[in-house]
Amino acid sequence: MTFEEYKKKAFAEDPELYKEYKALEPEYEIIRQIIKARNELNLTQKELAEKIGIKQSNISRLESGNYNPSLDFLKKVAQGLGKELHIEFR
């Protein structure tokens, strides 16, 4: 069974699990985008942290989902990655 198949089955069996999964989706999407951009630039967490003047552990916590970043922090990360931060409501 693939992970996608497992998720589909689990969500069908537990609607609350699906609800929580969807609630966390924005956080995990930004994490995926940060990791992808950092990897595309061949930057380590330490190199990104040095570029924006923070500790590597802050990047690690962000990428692991153990940190709730401020908007200013996300702006710094975006700038360090050569990106612009855009936030929107859908």
Side-chain angles (χ1 to χ4, degrees), residues 13-55:
E13 293 173 359
D14 187 351
E16 281 298 311
L17 176 64
Y18 179 74
K19 184 178 175 184
E20 288 300 315
Y21 179 84
K22 291 305 278 183
L24 291 171
E25 201 168 42
E27 287 89 342
Y28 287 109
E29 177 59 28
I30 191 72
I31 291 168
R32 278 191 297 274
Q33 289 183 29
I34 289 168
I35 292 170
K36 180 181 178 201
R38 184 175 59 75
N39 287 333
E40 287 173 351
L41 294 171
N42 294 313
L43 289 175
T44 65
Q45 289 179 347
K46 184 176 181 180
E47 290 168 334
L48 176 57
E50 288 172 353
K51 275 183 95 169
I52 60 177
I54 63 169
K55 294 181 180 179

Side-chain angles (χ1 to χ4, degrees), residues 69-76 85 87:
S70 68
L71 188 54
D72 285 337
F73 183 81
L74 289 176
K75 286 180 190 176
K76 282 183 184 179
L85 178 65
I87 298 174

Side-chain angles (χ1 to χ4, degrees), residues 59-72:
I59 299 295
S60 177
R61 285 197 325 262
L62 171 65
E63 289 185 0
S64 68
N66 292 320
Y67 178 63
N68 189 10
S70 68
L71 188 54
D72 285 337

